[in-house]
Amino acid sequence: MDIRGSICALATPFGDDGSLDLPSFGRLLDHQLAGGTQAVVVAGSTGEAHMLEQDEFERLLAFAVERVAGRVPVIAGTGEAGTARTVAQTRRAAALGADAALVVAPYYVRPTQEGLRRHFLEVAEHGGLPVILYNVPTRTACDLLPDTVRPLRDHPAIVGIKEAVATGERIHALAELARADFVYLSGDDGTAGKAMLAGAAGTVSVVANLVPQAFRALCDAATSGDREATARAHERLDPLVQALNCVPNPIAVKAMLPALRLGSAQLRLPLLELADGPDRARLHEALSALASLAAVA
């Protein structure tokens, strides 16, 4: 299993009545495959997994596995606040055909570094899937430090980390931990090129939902070490990346799905749709500038 390059953290389309919209999800998956996305994350980095009932999670993941049909890896977001619940969710994902699990650091409970180490080892030992660690302190209130990651690499089922801390110091610390059996993936679209030039094997991206072809071009340039091409690709994408930061993910990316006929902007409480105004106009302008790589309505 090769998990690297352009990886999309898929949005979860809901219908206007709030129900799971699998036909739109199918179009979103097709959009990714046509655009060169190299792996997809289901119910993972957008935070919408926490809006899903258990049967919806299972339907969504089973649908993605069938639709993708082995063309790219399907990674399931299985992280929960408790270790036993995370192991159980990872086992469900394995039974449904996922290729790997993206396991976010336990949120709200604020474990120690030793608690984090033991948590991830339990999931790796008993979850039944290759594990990609996921560190995003702005959402979890705990930070999985590089010194804690280092020994976790030695477990054969722990195959990588998605790191959302985007400081230069953290990027270089994680790049030093990368090796043949442990990949470092950037978790921040704004610094993705920088991270890949430093040694990250790829990026788990939100902006790729909308413009997978443009994001694949950035990943190809950066992972090949072409700094000039990376700068050009970053400059092209940056207005959209910055516009998407106007509100917490996934509000803005879902606001743009209707423009691509990939679903509605519907969210579930406590998230609210992006209101009409300057932020929405800026998003449309930035997406339209990439119209050659995204069929904007």
Side-chain angles (χ1 to χ4, degrees):
M1 180 178 57
D2 192 19
I3 298 177
R4 60 184 60 247
S6 181
I7 302 168
C8 183
L10 294 165
T12 303
F14 299 121
D16 291 334
D17 62 355
S19 63
L20 197 62
D21 183 356
L22 290 179
S24 291
F25 190 54
R27 292 194 296 275
L28 180 59
L29 284 163
D30 293 345
H31 184 57
Q32 296 306 310
L33 295 171
T37 291
Q38 292 161 281
V40 294
V41 178
V42 177
S45 304
T46 65
E48 291 181 290
H50 306 290
M51 313 302 182
L52 298 175
E53 300 295 335
Q54 187 61 53
D55 71 299
E56 291 178 319
F57 169 83
E58 293 174 3
R59 288 166 55 209
L60 193 72
L61 181 55
F63 183 94
V65 169
E66 181 178 3
R67 189 79 166 214
V68 168
R71 287 173 283 180
V72 299
V74 175
I75 304 164
T78 64
E80 299 281 353
T83 302
R85 290 171 62 92
T86 303
V87 169
Q89 191 75 327
T90 305
R91 287 176 174 170
R92 292 187 190 99
L96 291 164
D99 296 296
L102 181 68
V103 182
V104 71
Y107 44 87
Y108 186 80
V109 293
R110 300 177 66 190
T112 64
Q113 293 300 304
E114 176 61 13
L116 287 169
R117 187 189 71 84
R118 291 175 61 179
H119 169 81
F120 286 115
L121 286 176
E122 282 289 309
V123 179
E125 192 69 28
H126 303 293
L129 281 176
V131 170
I132 302 168
L133 314 173
Y134 178 19
N135 188 47
V136 56
T138 56
R139 289 181 178 255
T140 63
C142 69
D143 188 2
L144 178 64
L145 298 177
D147 283 346
T148 305
V149 174
R150 184 175 289 106
L152 288 171
R153 300 176 303 165
D154 294 331
H155 194 288
I158 296 178
V159 298
I161 183 170
K162 175 189 174 183
E163 175 59 75
V165 176
T167 65
E169 180 181 3
R170 185 61 62 90
I171 287 171
H172 289 289
L174 267 294
E176 289 178 356
L177 295 179
R179 60 191 192 189
D181 60 351
F182 184 85
V183 296
Y184 160 39
L185 303 170
S186 168
D188 177 67
D189 281 334
T191 57
K194 178 180 178 181
M196 287 183 284
L197 286 171
T203 302
V204 182
S205 169
V206 172
V207 71
N209 277 279
L210 305 177
V211 286
Q213 187 175 345
F215 198 78
R216 172 65 187 270
L218 171 69
C219 290
D220 285 351
T223 55
S224 69
D226 189 332
R227 293 184 177 276
E228 291 186 3
T230 300
R232 290 194 299 270
H234 172 79
E235 183 178 7
R236 189 177 194 187
L237 278 167
D238 194 55
L240 181 56
V241 171
Q242 297 305 318
L244 287 168
N245 286 334
C246 65
V247 285
N249 177 45
I251 297 171
V253 73
K254 294 198 80 171
M256 293 296 98
L257 292 182
L260 302 175
R261 299 185 178 90
L262 297 176
S264 76
Q266 184 74 30
L267 293 150
R268 288 179 175 174
L269 286 171
L271 299 179
L272 298 175
E273 289 185 32
L274 183 64
D276 289 333
D279 287 335
R280 185 180 282 271
R282 182 185 175 199
L283 277 165
H284 272 288
E285 180 180 359
L287 185 58
S288 296
L290 295 169
S292 64
L293 299 177
V296 182

